Amino acid sequence: MWFELAHIWAALIAFAILAYVVLDGFDLGIGILYPLLRRGEERDTAMNTVAPVWDGNETWLVLGGGGLFAVFPLAYAVVMPALYPAVIAMLLALVFRGVAFEFRWRATRGRWIWDLSFFGGSLMAALSQGIILGALVQGIEVENRQYAGGNWDWLTPFSGLTAVALIWAYALLGACWLVMKTTGDLRDRARAMAWVAGGGTLVLVGLVSLATPFLNPAYLDRWFDRPNVFFTLWVPAAILGVAALFFHGMRRDRDALPFVAALGLFVLCFIGLGISFFPYIVPPSLTIIETAAPESSLWFLLAGALVLVPTILAYTAYAYWVFRGKIEPGEGYH
């Protein structure tokens, strides 16, 4: 039972992280694209498309980080010392970005400062998350159940590649969100950005996917050994499918379809990470079972999660339903 419970918790935390990435990804993407939007009405409208939901989206980050601390304390104790600079940079960036949401609507002469804060915070948060992802995938050195690497092990060409890929992917989500939620010149400008971001994201996802199996022999076995290969090849095939869906939606002016396809791309990449990682939570040394808290703690926390997760899902779905549809210039929630 303990074995099964640890894996149930791993699945819950993985779901929380995926929910954060896809939900907060598009509002980070709008911040990354911000300098490409015209000052004034275009920037105001773009921020208004996410103003009612952006803070709720970040709830999933708290759930994922808090869950990792409570349920897999050994993994938390190993991962944090390995990634402190990137984690601290991400949190500071999210703070600056969150403050910009509130302050730029009240500022007049100093509005450019909060525009810069929104753009810089979004870019830095995406860059940090990409570096964290790359550092985890390439592996963390562990000895005697402690982090045994250096201060700069997280900064490598591969983590740089994943950071650039995630920035482009968030920009794709942001552009597709604006296509779906806006009209007129802003929607047309977002479409042009989505074409560029879509092509760049697919190229970068391909480069990361080609490099990942060669980082660790275990990754190579899971993807290409028989009979594994018969169960893993569907992932790249499905990525080609959502890419075709994206381009079909763009060519036919179906505004929601590119956003759905971009979300599908994120989900498939996340599944690919799961195939590479499992059963490790800190590759290549610590498994899910080795890092789990005692069974009594897992049961206690699971009881809380069974209330908390449906509650978050319910108010998230309600917020998106209430603020559904396109936003016209001049409309807003501030």
Side-chain angles (χ1 to χ4, degrees):
M1 181 60 74
W2 181 68
F3 178 88
E4 296 175 359
L5 201 53
H7 285 92
I8 290 171
W9 260 110
L12 276 175
I13 291 176
F15 174 75
I17 293 172
L18 176 62
Y20 168 75
V21 168
V22 298
L23 292 180
D24 207 33
F26 64 79
D27 58 61
L28 286 170
I30 289 173
I32 293 166
L33 297 172
Y34 210 57
L36 303 177
L37 304 177
R38 295 192 181 98
R39 288 188 177 88
E41 191 174 80
E42 278 198 359
R43 293 185 177 183
D44 292 347
T45 304
M47 288 194 79
N48 272 326
T49 64
V50 293
V53 296
W54 73 271
D55 44 359
N57 294 342
E58 294 187 351
T59 305
W60 295 102
L61 179 63
V62 177
L63 181 63
L68 184 68
F69 172 74
V71 180
F72 299 105
L74 178 57
Y76 188 89
V78 169
V79 168
M80 289 301 288
L83 298 172
Y84 267 138
V87 171
I88 291 171
M90 177 189 73
L91 295 177
L92 287 174
L94 292 176
V95 169
F96 274 94
R97 181 173 162 275
V99 171
F101 260 105
E102 306 300 331
F103 276 51
R104 76 175 296 277
W105 298 97
R106 303 288 184 267
T108 51
R109 285 182 300 177
R111 177 169 287 191
W112 66 272
I113 297 174
W114 302 112
D115 284 349
L116 182 64
S117 178
F118 182 56
F119 163 65
S122 301
L123 183 65
M124 180 56 70
L127 179 71
S128 303
Q129 290 172 15
I131 286 175
I132 291 169
L133 173 64
L136 282 173
V137 173
Q138 71 192 9
I140 292 177
E141 189 175 345
V142 178
E143 288 182 8
N144 299 322
R145 296 162 66 87
Q146 294 181 343
Y147 176 58
N151 293 331
W152 299 94
D153 285 8
W154 51 273
L155 189 58
T156 64
F158 181 76
S159 65
L161 176 63
T162 55
V164 173
L166 194 61
I167 289 170
W168 274 81
Y170 280 166
L172 171 64
L173 275 180
C176 291
W177 174 262
L178 289 177
V179 170
M180 186 173 66
K181 296 290 288 183
T182 62
T183 59
D185 290 344
L186 178 54
R187 181 236 181 217
D188 295 339
R189 187 184 296 275
R191 270 181 54 82
M193 296 175 193
W195 277 112
V196 177
T201 299
L202 288 172
V203 170
L204 288 163
V205 166
L207 291 175
V208 172
S209 301
L210 288 173
T212 298
F214 299 98
L215 293 172
N216 188 318
Y219 295 166
L220 200 62
D221 292 345
R222 285 180 203 131
W223 278 97
F224 297 111
D225 262 13
R226 292 183 179 182
N228 297 355
V229 68
F230 301 116
F231 300 98
T232 56
L233 279 182
W234 73 269
V235 176
I239 287 176
L240 291 176
V242 295
L245 197 64
F246 168 78
F247 290 118
H248 174 75
M250 291 290 290
R251 283 198 302 268
R252 298 298 180 93
D253 279 341
R254 297 180 61 182
D255 288 355
L257 198 54
F259 184 69
V260 173
L263 291 181
L265 178 64
F266 270 80
V267 171
L268 290 168
C269 290
F270 201 74
I271 292 172
L273 282 174
I275 292 172
S276 298
F277 270 39
F278 189 82
Y280 292 96
I281 193 169
V282 184
S285 305
L286 298 174
T287 65
I288 293 169
I289 299 300
E290 290 172 334
T291 58
E295 181 183 2
S296 57
S297 298
L298 298 185
W299 277 116
F300 177 77
L301 293 165
L302 186 62
L306 291 176
V307 176
L308 188 62
V309 172
T311 302
I312 298 174
L313 284 172
Y315 74 64
T316 301
Y318 182 70
Y320 279 85
W321 172 255
V322 168
F323 296 101
R324 66 190 182 279
K326 287 182 177 285
I327 293 177
E328 298 294 335
E331 292 181 347
Y333 308 109
H334 281 78

